[in-house]
Amino acid sequence: MAMNRDKRRNESGATDELDERVVFVNRCAKTVKGGRRMSFSAVIVVGDHEGKVGLGFGKANEVSDAIRKGGDAARKAMKPVTLHGKTIPHDVTGDCDGGRVLLKPAPDGTGLIVGGGMRPVLEAAGIRDAVGKSLGSKNRLNVVKATLDALSKLRSAEEIAAIRA
């Protein structure tokens, strides 16, 4: 799990820091006449630590190219997440194929008590205190997608009150 800060200039000339995390890199082998041909796929999570996070999946013949493609795709796919201070507003579950995750808010200072694929997503989104459990599949891509699904279901108390009114 590598972590680096990516500074890009936006239209106004200011730099915005994005946290880019490599969740995992998968090596794939294709058998051809001359032997095995290797290729790589990378799952990348990008976030701004202020409630926006995106997932990217890049494939290429070189690891660095796969990571670059995944990072570009993640930047394009960034979506807002509803936060309540440094935690999430309420309990939520997310599903993607066989991956299921359960996320619960936690008091200040608790930290992130979550499993493998959920941690980079929550850290990139700016969530510092939460408890999570990965249920079902251990496939990291599906766990990351399920975590993003759970975060997309979050609503603030004001949004819920407006819907009910």
Side-chain angles (χ1 to χ4, degrees), residues 14-94:
T15 59
D16 55 336
E17 279 195 17
L18 294 177
D19 186 7
E20 183 176 290
R21 293 171 186 260
V22 178
V23 179
F24 71 95
V25 177
N26 187 40
R27 187 182 74 178
C28 185
K30 174 183 175 184
T31 306
V32 293
K33 187 176 175 183
R36 289 192 186 99
R37 180 160 293 156
M38 299 295 177
S39 65
F40 299 90
S41 63
V43 174
I44 311 295
V45 172
V46 173
D48 65 355
H49 292 286
E50 293 172 9
K52 286 185 78 175
V53 67
L55 166 71
F57 188 71
K59 295 192 275 189
N61 291 331
E62 298 291 328
V63 175
S64 58
D65 291 340
I67 291 172
R68 182 183 48 76
K69 285 181 180 180
D72 292 344
R75 279 183 199 83
K76 291 178 185 173
M78 287 182 75
K79 293 188 175 136
V81 175
T82 303
L83 301 178
H84 180 69
K86 296 177 185 175
T87 188
I88 56 177
H90 55 83
D91 294 12
V92 68
T93 59

